[in-house]
Structure formats: structure tokens, C-alpha cells
Amino acid sequence: MNNRRDFLKSSAAVAAPLLVSARCFSADAPSNRINVAFIGTGNQGMGMLKRFLAADLGNVLAVCDVNEGSYGYKEPEHFYGRNPAKEMVETDNLRRSKSGTANKCDVYSDFRQVLQREDIDAVVVVVPDHWHRTITVMALEAGKDVYCEKPLTFSVADGRQMIEATRNNNRILQTGSQERSNPVSQFICEAAKAGRIGKLTRIVTKVGYNNKVGPGPGWDAMPVPKTLDYPTWLGPAPVAPYHDDRCLYRFRFNYDYSGGQITNFGAHCNDMAHWGMGIDTGGPVEVECLDAKFLPEGSLFNTATETRFRCKYVSGVELICESGPESVQTRFEGSDGWLQTGYKGTTASNPELLVGLPNKPTGTQDPHSAHLANFIECVKTRKEPRAPVEVGHSSAVLCHIANAMIRLFPETGPGRVAKWDAANETFVGDERANEMLVRQQRDPFSGG
Ligand SMILES: NC(=O)c1ccc[n+]([C@@H]2O[C@H](COP(=O)([O-])OP(=O)(O)OC[C@H]3O[C@@H](n4cnc5c(N)ncnc54)[C@H](O)[C@@H]3O)[C@@H](O)[C@H]2O)c1
């Protein structure tokens, strides 16, 4: 073993990380810098790239996106894609350069070429959910450590494959659930877990309403932009006519690529619910959809616009998750009070419950940056990251089983209580609900 790269790839290093790491990783040695590539440089990818560079977490050798560069991501004026990402990295390289020449950042549209590179240690995967599993599993099998955005998976089955690929290849996988690196969320969830509000009885989580509007029934297809490799964007998803509102950022409102706000924001607040309950890798025993509203049949956006669902846990705790104006909020209710935190702030039934609450972190300490930093630290030390693959999987499973019941709601109405076997990840005696968990995907490389 000659260098740090060999060390990172060797499974022996995983077995004895401390002995070797002390020798290889002197504080600022150039060999201590991790080489990464960003796959998916859209709304979140560009934000993460910017943070990665600002915190100087490693070398960005490559960026990859099926979009060369275009306007029209989350907001019309947002210009993202692989070329703007390359420019961002090279501008930062130039700023840091002592010689006045900037290191190049390579640019790819096919992620498989990134994975072939021996010099890349880790990849940050920030593509739509329907691509998470394929890219992540191939990266893990190519010996890369992976930061994959939340929701970690598109289906329950995806998660099992991702766990297997992570563990069989002795890789680090960090789920992009950055609340795990937010000291405020840590304080609230750990306080709930430790019994600061007595016996936990109920958790109420909130997910935001749809923040975009898509075309209604009878919508016309649009020409595919020249900058976008649309067939690869679709990848494992069904073939479908192009529309701007199908792809960039808005994919989250279509079940072919994501799961609506239940998997988008729900991946955060419901992950925190599990965290506070102390069942990071568990699940409920019962799930019921209480309400679900959808746009008219034929609308491009087909995920629920408003929802309310309920889960019961073996401990007796009830989880209610509902749509609301708050994007992400988690409220823990116990026998001795309540604690609540979310994007809009943190409160409690009694100020004494918040004694010791840290300030909301800012700048390069913000939760996304801290979570990326935790990933890079774990790539170096081979320690478990704060949101390992099993945690990301379990939180996503909760969202997927809720969505199964939400999607059945128009068919069956209220009152359908499904029993969930968390150990075997299956609904008990409800084949229709189990059918809803199966997400048919195409082979993304068959060209069919
Ligand atoms: N942690 C958070 O708080 C947070 C916030 C926003 C988004 N996200 C997650 O990040 C992911 C991306 O969301 P977004 O809002 O950035 O979407 P986006 O549409 O703005 O960006 C996704 C990018 O991936 C590219 N892409 C698609 N398929 C690709 C492929 N096969 N290879 C390379 N590039 C490909 C697209 O062209 C696009 O540029 C989602 O899973 C989302 O849930 C997480």
C-alpha cells in the first residue's frame, strides 16, 4: 500500500483505521485531501458544491450532469448544470492558486466515466431520487465513498441494495439528512430521546405544501432543450414526453421520479421523529392515511398536494405527519411537556426545557456544510457518519409506506389501517398495499 488512496480503498484499512491513519494523515499534508466528484449539479448540487469549496473540504476533480447548463431550476433565473459547476470550481481553484493558474475541473455527462477514475475517492450524488440507487450502488462497487442526498431511496427495495453495497464493499455512505449535523436538531431529538419531556406520547411532523405549480390535464409536450440529455435524465423511469415542469427541480412532484413533499421534506422531519424515538433503524407497526388530495387526473404533477397520515409504534407513540405552511417541523409531545423544532425556529412548552439549546449555526458551520464535513472526516477515519445508510433507508421507508397508503386513499377512502412488519419490510395481509411499494424501473443503460 503506497498512498492514502490505496489506504482508502483497502478493506484492511477499515479493520485497523487508527494505526494506519495516524501515519498517513498528518494535519495539512496534501495527501490528506480527499478527491471528490459531484454528480448532479442542479439546485441542491450547486449549493452543496459552493459549501464544499467555501469550507475547503477537499479537491473537486470532476463534476457531472446530464444538463450542460441552463436557466429554469428552482427559480427561472437559476442557471445550473455541469458547465456552471465547472466554472465555480475553477474560479475557486484560481482564487486559491499561488501560481496564478487554476487546476482544471473535468466535466462529464455520463457518471460512469467519473466512477472509472482511480483518483476519485468519493462522490456526492445530488440527482433526482429515481437515479439515487443506481448511481450510488455503482459508485460503491467502484470503491468510492458516497454522500447521497435524501430521500436516500426511491423505493424500499432500493434501500436494501444500497445497504448491501455499502457493507459488502466496506464503504462510507452518508445520507444527506443534514439535520443530523444541526446542533439545534441534535439538542431537541436527543432531549426527547433522553426523556426531558417525560414519556413520549405523540410526535407531529409537518411537510410544506407544493411550492410549484405544474400544467393541468391536456398539457402539451415541449421540445427537449439542446442542453439536456433527456433520455439519460429519465434513465430508469418510464419513457415520457418532455415538459420543463417534469424535470429540473419539479421532478419531486411526480411519482415516477420522487414522492412529493412526503419524501422531500418528510425525509427530514420524519427522520427526526425516529431519532427522537430512539429507533433509528426501526419502523411503525401500523400506518393509516387520514386525508389526501390530488390534482385532477392527467395533471403533470401527480403526487399528493395535501396529506395527513398516522403511524403507531410498538412503544405506543403515535406519529402524525401533515401538510402545512411550514416546510419542515417536528414536535415531540410527552407526559411532561413538548419540544418543537423546524425551519421556522425552536420552541417548547416551558423555556426551561430549552436550557442549553445551542444557537442556530451559520456560515461554513451551517448544517449542510457540517454534514459534508462529517462525511469527509469519515472518509478519512473510516468511522460511521452521522446518517449512515441504514438510517437513511429507515427514514425513507417510513415515507414510502406512508405514500403507499396515501396513493390508495382515493381508492379506499379513510379507515384503511395497514399493519407494517418493519423487520421484514412488508405490509401484513394487505397485498394491495404491498403492490404500491413496488416501483417498476427500466434498465437505464439498455437504450430501450
Ligand atoms: N438535503 C436537502 O435539504 C435537499 C434540498 C434540496 C434537494 N435535495 C435532494 O437533492 C436531490 C436533487 O434535487 P435538486 O433540487 O437539486 O434537483 P435538480 O433538478 O435541481 O437537480 C438535479 C440535477 O441532476 C441532474 N441529473 C439527473 N440525472 C442525472 C444523471 N443520471 N447523471 C448526472 N446528472 C443527472 C439534472 O440534470 C439536474 O441538474 C434530490 O434527491 C433532492 O431530494 C436535498
Side-chain angles (χ1 to χ4, degrees), residues 121-133:
D121 304 308
V123 291
V124 182
V125 178
V126 201
V127 295
D129 313 358
H130 67 291
W131 262 115
H132 283 187
R133 185 248 312 152

Side-chain angles (χ1 to χ4, degrees), residues 171-197:
R171 294 295 98 203
I172 301 296
L173 188 145
Q174 171 91 297
T175 309
S177 296
Q178 72 274 359
E179 293 308 319
R180 295 264 170 177
S181 291
N182 180 348
V184 174
S185 301
Q186 282 166 355
F187 178 92
I188 295 297
C189 294
E190 293 294 338
K193 192 164 125 185
R196 191 177 279 221
I197 49 171

Side-chain angles (χ1 to χ4, degrees), residues 8 38 46 63 105 139 153 159 186 217 248 302 340 345 353 398 425 435:
L8 290 176
F38 275 67
M46 286 293 265
V63 291
C105 171
T153 63
Q186 282 166 355
L248 310 181
N302 60 10
Q340 177 176 305
L353 291 169
L398 172 55
E425 295 180 339
E435 272 170 32

Side-chain angles (χ1 to χ4, degrees), residues 43-44 65 73 129 132 149-150 176 178 249 251-252 268:
N43 163 57
Q44 176 74 351
D65 199 293
Y73 274 81
D129 313 358
H132 283 187
E149 267 303 342
K150 54 45 65 176
Q178 72 274 359
Y249 186 81
F251 69 85
R252 41 175 64 59
H268 291 303

Side-chain angles (χ1 to χ4, degrees), residues 36-72:
V36 307
F38 275 67
I39 302 176
T41 52
N43 163 57
Q44 176 74 351
M46 286 293 265
M48 295 300 272
L49 182 58
K50 195 170 164 190
R51 292 177 178 104
F52 190 95
L53 297 171
D56 196 19
L57 293 173
N59 305 318
V60 181
L61 297 194
V63 291
C64 169
D65 199 293
V66 293
N67 189 17
E68 191 179 291
S70 70
Y71 288 99

